[in-house]
């Protein structure tokens, strides 16, 4: 099995891009023979990459010992195929401590890496401490707090803008307190059917990625293209017809929309909100690890929805 040492593809794509550059800078000194001696390296013992996700029960970390040579494990017989490290996380609210399980696993580039997995529920707004412990008691540690926002109406909503011919409908939304959202999805709720039909309701997600930009006061600004997004809703309506949940004559309409935001923990905020590998490859630019390198983070969730029944007919639906 080829892995990227985590299970969420978009977040993994970033985690797998800049750590390579960091390792080149940190461990190889511009990839030359002037490697940093771990015993003269400011007590940096391990590099770690991974995160906790409050939507997942299984979590993944990659751990790399800081040594004279960059880790490049070609097979189970290599000297670096063994690792002197036990990994634990502790819920700092409850005190529950979990030991992670180690495996040497094949990575996407064909080499092998030291991968640790653990299964436990993650709770928003709790702090978790990571410990990577050598047999001699040496530790690399990190702490993350899972992001959480309690407000039900966080967004600052701009007006709904409708073009003269009603073909374009959009809305600008400011998102305070989330300076660097990792992933944004638009949400639309549609329904169909009536007395003579099976009434159905669907929630459709529209990918926005990290669309938008950081505001001067540390929030995030995004434009939601409501009219363009309806192609995702109509595709789902068509699928419901094909699956015989409704027929072609069933009246349908949209009732609500919203945004779902994956939030990174407060320390996981790149300079100017931009995940630039050239900037992030510099040691110390983005790290919460004590006695080591890398980042141990967490990902939370915020969702806000609101009524748009008044736009349904304008957007081409029956009611």
């Amino acid at each position: 099995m080829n892995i990227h040492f985590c299970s969420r593809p978009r977040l993994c794509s970033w985690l797998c891009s800049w750590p390579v550059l960091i390792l080149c800078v940190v461990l190889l000194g511009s990839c030359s023979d002037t490697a940093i001696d771990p015993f003269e390296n400011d007590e940096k013992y391990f590099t770690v990459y991974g995160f906790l996700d409050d939507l997942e029960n299984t979590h993944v970390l990659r751990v790399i010992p800081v040594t004279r040579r960059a880790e490049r494990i070609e097979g189970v017989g290599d000297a670096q195929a063994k690792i002197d490290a036990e990994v634990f996380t502790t819920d700092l609210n409850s005190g529950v401590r979990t030991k992670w399980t180690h495996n040497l696993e094949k990575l996407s580039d064909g080499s092998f890496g030291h991968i640790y997995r653990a299964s436990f529920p993650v709770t928003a707004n709790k702090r978790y401490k990571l410990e990577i412990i050598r047999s001699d008691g040496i530790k690399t540690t990190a702490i993350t707090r899972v992001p959480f926002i309690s407000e039900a109406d966080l967004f600052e909503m701009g007006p709904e803008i409708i073009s003269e011919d009603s073909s374009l409908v959009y809305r600008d939304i400011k998102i305070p307190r989330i300076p660097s959202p990792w992933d944004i999805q638009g949400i639309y709720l549609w329904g169909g059917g009536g007395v003579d039909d099976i009434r159905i309701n669907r929630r459709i997600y529209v990918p926005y990625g990290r669309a938008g930009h950081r505001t001067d006061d540390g929030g995030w600004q995004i434009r939601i293209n409501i009219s363009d997004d309806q192609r995702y809703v109509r595709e789902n309506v068509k699928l419901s017809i094909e699956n015989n949940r409704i027929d072609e004559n069933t009246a349908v309409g949209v009732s609500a929309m919203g945004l779902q935001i994956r939030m990174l923990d407060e320390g996981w905020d790149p300079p100017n909100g931009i995940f630039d590998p050239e900037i992030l490859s510099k040691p110390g630019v983005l790290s919460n690890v004590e006695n080591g390198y890398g980042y141990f983070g967490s990902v939370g969730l915020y969702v806000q929805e609101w009524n748009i029944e008044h736009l349904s007919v304008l957007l081409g639906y029956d009611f």
Side-chain angles (χ1 to χ4, degrees):
M1 177 177 65
N2 294 348
I3 65 169
H4 291 286
F5 67 85
C6 58
S7 59
R8 269 65 74 196
R10 271 195 289 267
L11 195 49
C12 288
S13 66
W14 171 71
L15 280 169
C16 293
S17 62
W18 67 271
V20 174
L21 296 175
I22 293 177
L23 290 175
C24 184
V25 173
V26 173
L27 303 183
L28 292 180
S30 300
C31 298
S32 71
D33 290 334
T34 58
I36 298 174
D37 190 319
F39 303 103
E40 299 176 357
N41 192 26
D42 298 325
E43 298 183 334
K44 306 294 186 182
Y45 304 110
F46 295 99
T47 300
V48 58
Y49 300 104
F51 59 95
L52 305 178
D53 189 335
D54 71 350
L55 291 185
E56 301 287 339
N57 282 322
T58 300
H59 314 282
V60 185
L61 293 172
R62 183 179 179 185
V63 176
I64 305 171
V66 176
T67 66
R68 289 179 181 272
R69 297 181 179 180
E71 182 180 69
R72 178 68 186 183
I73 306 172
E74 301 292 349
V76 295
D78 288 6
Q80 290 182 310
K82 295 183 179 180
I83 186 171
D84 179 9
E86 289 189 317
V87 174
F88 300 87
T89 46
T90 301
D91 180 335
L92 295 180
N93 294 79
S94 67
V96 174
R97 193 169 190 240
T98 301
K99 184 176 181 178
W100 294 53
T101 301
H102 168 261
N103 281 292
L104 184 69
E105 300 186 20
K106 197 169 187 178
L107 307 176
S108 59
D109 65 355
S111 67
F112 290 80
H114 295 290
I115 309 301
Y116 289 80
R117 286 185 169 82
S119 295
F120 58 92
V122 171
T123 304
N125 208 32
K126 282 191 174 183
R127 294 192 308 147
Y128 294 84
K129 181 178 182 179
L130 171 72
E131 297 174 284
I132 306 170
I133 307 175
R134 264 184 2 197
S135 59
D136 60 3
I138 289 295
K139 291 183 181 182
T140 292
T141 64
I143 295 176
T144 182
R145 182 190 294 274
V146 182
F148 174 72
I149 294 176
S150 61
E151 287 88 339
D153 55 351
L154 177 69
F155 301 156
E156 297 176 9
M157 315 281 280
E160 294 164 343
I161 304 300
I162 304 173
S163 65
E164 289 186 6
D165 62 359
S166 301
S167 63
L168 178 64
V169 183
Y170 67 87
R171 190 171 202 173
D172 291 328
I173 298 175
K174 181 179 177 181
I175 308 170
R177 297 176 53 193
I178 304 180
S180 185
W182 175 254
D183 184 60
I184 301 172
Q185 290 184 301
I187 303 171
Y188 293 89
L189 282 72
W190 73 270
V195 175
D196 299 325
D197 300 293
I198 298 174
R199 181 73 186 181
I200 65 170
N201 291 282
R202 294 283 187 271
R203 181 174 270 99
I204 306 305
Y205 295 89
V206 178
Y208 271 81
R210 299 188 74 245
H213 60 88
R214 177 175 290 187
T215 60
D216 293 338
D217 58 359
W220 194 263
Q221 185 84 23
I222 185 172
R223 173 167 292 181
I224 303 301
N225 298 307
I226 300 172
S227 50
D228 292 349
D229 290 349
Q230 298 317 300
R231 67 185 179 91
Y232 292 91
V233 178
R234 293 190 178 94
E235 285 174 2
N236 193 259
V237 173
K238 181 181 177 182
L239 183 62
S240 294
I241 294 173
E242 293 173 351
N243 291 337
N244 297 317
R245 293 305 309 276
I246 58 175
D247 61 43
E248 294 184 355
N249 297 318
T250 299
V252 300
V254 291
S255 58
M257 67 171 293
L259 289 180
Q260 173 176 290
I261 302 172
R262 301 312 315 276
M263 304 182 292
L264 302 179
D265 69 59
E266 59 186 5
W268 206 348
D269 183 16
N272 301 315
I274 301 172
F275 288 92
D276 184 340
E278 289 191 15
I279 295 175
L280 295 173
S281 66
K282 299 175 182 177
V285 170
L286 184 62
S287 181
N288 64 342
V289 179
E290 298 289 336
N291 296 331
Y293 298 104
Y295 198 87
F296 172 65
S298 56
V299 183
L301 180 72
Y302 182 81
V303 178
Q304 183 174 328
E305 298 179 347
W306 56 94
N307 188 289
I308 58 165
E309 288 182 341
H310 59 286
L311 292 177
S312 185
V313 174
L314 178 69
L315 293 170
Y317 298 101
D318 300 306
F319 60 85

